[in-house]
Amino acid sequence: KQGRMALEDRPVAEVSLLAILVEAVVIAAVLILLPLARFARKGLGVQGRGRVLLYFAALGLGFIMIEIALLQRFTLFLGQPAYTLAAILASLLIFTGVGSALAGRVGNSPRRALLVLVPAVAVGLGVTAVVTGLVFDAALGWPFAGRVALAVVLLAPLGLLLGLPFPIGLRLISGEASALVPWAWGVNGFFTVIGSVLSMILGMALGFRAVLVLAAACYLVAWVAVALRPEAARGA
């Protein structure tokens, strides 16, 4: 009985999420980072690799934090978690896909484009957070279909911005250090996987507004990685 009471006093949800985070780190490391270390070792010898990996890690972590925080925020507005998940995820994926497609139209200076676009994501995130707070109060009494349509409209500009930094970053390193391209994909995927659980933990501990702030900080870190990276990071 005493042992059972001790378990009942523990924060089960928090402990479970921490266990899932550890499992996610281990599995993602084994399935993503270990094969890279085995088959793409050449990339680890490229000059400027630290800043490249920091950039794509920050993008992966920042993107998934934004996604999780927006799901929580829009669930409160729409009121139906299942439909919210479908509508918000679909909207983000569609608009980020459109943004990625538009990335090919960026001019011949991807670095210069990133120096503008990456902080623009942080600004767009702040604007979205403020606008949704104002609009949600006014539209809370709308029919469900109208609220979903409004949610899609609100997400469109941010989604387009979110779709740009990753493909433009890949284009940049493809020309400067092609051996790092597999590592860019892998590190981005690794931090996206663990970031999904980490976002939930941080949201429960600090609140999802804090998660949005941390997501914006991730994009600012990515901007610093681009701004400080040597122009001639060649090694492939």
Side-chain angles (χ1 to χ4, degrees), residues 16-26 193-195 197-198 201:
S16 298
L17 283 173
L18 286 173
I20 293 172
L21 177 61
V22 172
E23 293 175 358
V25 170
V26 172
V193 170
I194 66 172
V197 185
L198 184 61
I201 295 174

Side-chain angles (χ1 to χ4, degrees), residues 112-130:
R112 186 177 303 171
L114 290 177
L115 290 175
V116 175
L117 290 170
V118 174
V121 173
V123 173
L125 180 59
V127 171
T128 301
V130 172

